[in-house]
Amino acid sequence: MGLISGTLLSSNEEILYSIPIMLLIIPALNSLTGDISTVLVSRLTTHLYIGTLSPKIKISERLKEDFYGLLITLLLSLVSLLFLGYLVGVISGIKIINPLLMSFIITLTILLLFFIMFITLFIGAIFLFKRGMDPNNFLIPFVTSLADFLTPLFLILFIIIFI
Amino acid sequence: METQDSKGKIIKETFPSEVVSIVGDLLAGIVLSLLILPFDSFLVLLLMIPALLSLRGNLSGPFIARTSRDLVIGNFSKRSWIENVLATYTLSIITAIFIGIFSIILNLIFFKLYILSNQYFITIPIISIVLTLSISVPCSTGLNYLAFKKGLNPNNVVNPVMTAIDDFSTVFCFFLTIIMLGVP
């Protein structure tokens, strides 16, 4: 997945050279999606092990608390990322093209990924736990690779659509 | 610990670490866009960077999660930690070799850039991931232990902070490796 992501970035060199802020923010975007998803997997696994979440695919109060907690954290982090990214871009002299539209594209990418990840990871954690496997060992490598692949993919896709 | 976590607690514990993570990753972005971009072989090097960032996440993520789970459920011991570390290093080196081999194949299929010899494709990922893990493993263990001792949930705090340290050190160790090897 990481290599496919690298191939995707390398084969869109014109976007990287014309929107140089992409290279600056891609590691932060990848890790934001990866971090929130990793925290989710770790929490789901611990809940399943200590029995605060039953291994059934159904909406519970515990799941809702985790969903809203992580969604609000993601939104606050996104605002910080946009602010700090803009600041670092200005200080380091990296050209920022159409900051408002770029902020919209980044927000859209991150929110879409969060919903995809939350559903996939919840179902995946239950499925693995029921089969006696540790969801941490399977889902964290999966989610990191998926985030590293899907983040630049959606970002490039939305840049092509909107810019 | 996890049973009492409300959404307020999740935000309170995760958001500050996430801001640290963002700062670390923006520093990684600066290294990438200002230090690695000028290399002649940038497009080939860029092929490996997301894979190395993923590899770091894939291996140190479960390492951190297993350590924090052991601390939370009371199973943490020196022996389990050493086994965890050895497994992480072994998997890293094996996966780094595969990254090198697949990078050669992808370069031959898609880019056909012959600026780097095949030995670089293998040695760059191995050296940079070993350097990165040598920073990551002691840092994450210390942070996990400190977070747990301070009554914080390691699951919420350690991963985002370590992502920042790891992503920056991955890109920086990558930069050091290509300088050491004299990559064009």
Side-chain angles (χ1 to χ4, degrees):
Chain A
M1 284 281 198
L3 283 167
I4 297 170
S5 171
T7 311
L8 187 77
L9 286 171
S10 294
S11 52
N12 283 284
E13 59 176 305
E14 67 283 2
I15 290 180
L16 293 180
Y17 286 112
S18 56
I19 309 174
I21 196 81
M22 278 263 299
L23 268 182
L24 179 79
I25 55 158
I26 274 184
L29 286 178
N30 278 352
S31 80
L32 179 60
T33 324
D35 285 346
I36 297 291
S37 308
T38 308
V39 170
L40 175 68
V41 175
S42 301
R43 293 185 61 80
L44 287 174
T45 305
T46 313
H47 286 316
L48 288 165
Y49 271 105
I50 61 179
T52 45
L53 192 72
S54 64
K56 286 175 190 160
I57 299 171
K58 67 168 187 183
I59 298 167
S60 61
E61 278 308 308
R62 183 63 272 164
L63 193 69
K64 277 189 202 164
E65 285 285 312
D66 279 15
F67 177 82
Y68 290 121
L70 291 175
L71 180 64
I72 297 166
T73 308
L74 183 82
L75 292 172
L76 289 171
S77 307
L78 195 57
V79 173
S80 314
L81 191 153
L82 293 173
F83 174 73
L84 290 171
Y86 185 78
L87 206 67
V88 170
V90 169
I91 293 167
S92 61
I94 295 170
K95 205 173 157 191
I96 307 168
I97 296 164
N98 211 337
L100 276 179
L101 188 58
M102 274 309 288
S103 303
F104 169 72
I105 289 172
I106 291 167
T107 309
L108 190 65
T109 305
I110 292 295
L111 284 179
L112 187 65
L113 280 170
F114 176 72
F115 291 114
I116 293 173
M117 292 292 190
F118 195 91
I119 296 166
T120 314
L121 295 178
F122 172 59
I123 296 170
I126 303 276
F127 177 83
L128 291 167
F129 184 76
K130 272 185 169 175
R131 273 151 192 78
M133 292 183 255
D134 184 344
N136 279 335
N137 292 344
F138 292 89
L139 290 180
I140 293 176
F142 169 74
V143 82
T144 318
S145 305
L146 198 65
D148 288 348
F149 168 62
L150 289 180
T151 311
L153 177 74
F154 281 135
L155 205 58
I156 288 172
L157 201 70
F158 290 138
I159 284 175
I160 292 169
I161 293 170
F162 292 109
I163 295 184
Chain B
M1 190 177 276
E2 297 262 347
T3 48
Q4 299 148 8
D5 280 8
S6 63
K7 52 181 174 290
K9 190 169 188 243
I10 297 171
I11 298 163
K12 203 174 133 193
E13 289 188 357
T14 313
F15 176 63
S17 354
E18 202 49 61
V19 174
V20 177
S21 169
I22 288 166
V23 173
D25 282 308
L26 286 173
L27 290 176
I30 292 177
V31 175
L32 199 60
S33 47
L34 296 180
L35 296 179
I36 300 178
L37 186 70
F39 276 80
D40 292 338
S41 50
F42 173 71
L43 283 181
V44 185
L45 295 172
L46 188 62
L47 200 64
M48 287 184 250
I49 292 170
L52 284 173
L53 287 170
S54 290
L55 170 63
R56 194 277 314 149
N58 289 348
L59 296 163
S60 78
F63 174 81
I64 296 163
R66 281 195 294 264
T67 312
S68 64
R69 182 202 58 198
D70 287 347
L71 283 166
V72 171
I73 63 176
N75 275 356
F76 186 80
S77 69
K78 199 175 170 183
R79 195 181 161 202
S80 69
W81 182 79
I82 290 171
E83 279 176 2
N84 208 353
V85 171
L86 287 177
T88 307
Y89 268 95
T90 312
L91 273 169
S92 302
I93 292 168
I94 294 169
T95 322
I97 294 169
F98 277 103
I99 288 178
I101 294 168
F102 284 118
S103 299
I104 295 171
I105 296 168
L106 286 170
N107 183 38
L108 286 174
I109 296 171
F110 294 107
F111 304 107
K112 298 177 179 68
L113 294 169
Y114 302 108
I115 202 160
L116 281 188
S117 67
N118 288 347
Q119 71 195 49
Y120 282 127
F121 280 97
I122 306 289
T123 47
I124 291 171
I126 296 175
I127 296 174
S128 69
I129 204 67
V130 168
L131 286 176
T132 308
L133 281 179
S134 303
I135 298 168
S136 167
V137 166
C139 279
S140 63
T141 308
L143 267 176
N144 251 323
Y145 189 75
L146 271 178
F148 184 71
K149 281 280 166 198
K150 296 231 174 247
L152 299 168
N153 186 338
N155 280 331
N156 294 347
V157 182
V158 182
N159 263 313
V161 175
M162 278 317 297
T163 309
I165 296 171
D166 282 347
D167 282 353
F168 175 69
S169 55
T170 302
V171 179
F172 191 69
C173 290
F174 184 83
F175 174 66
L176 283 183
T177 309
I178 56 179
I179 293 284
M180 279 192 297
L181 294 174
V183 170

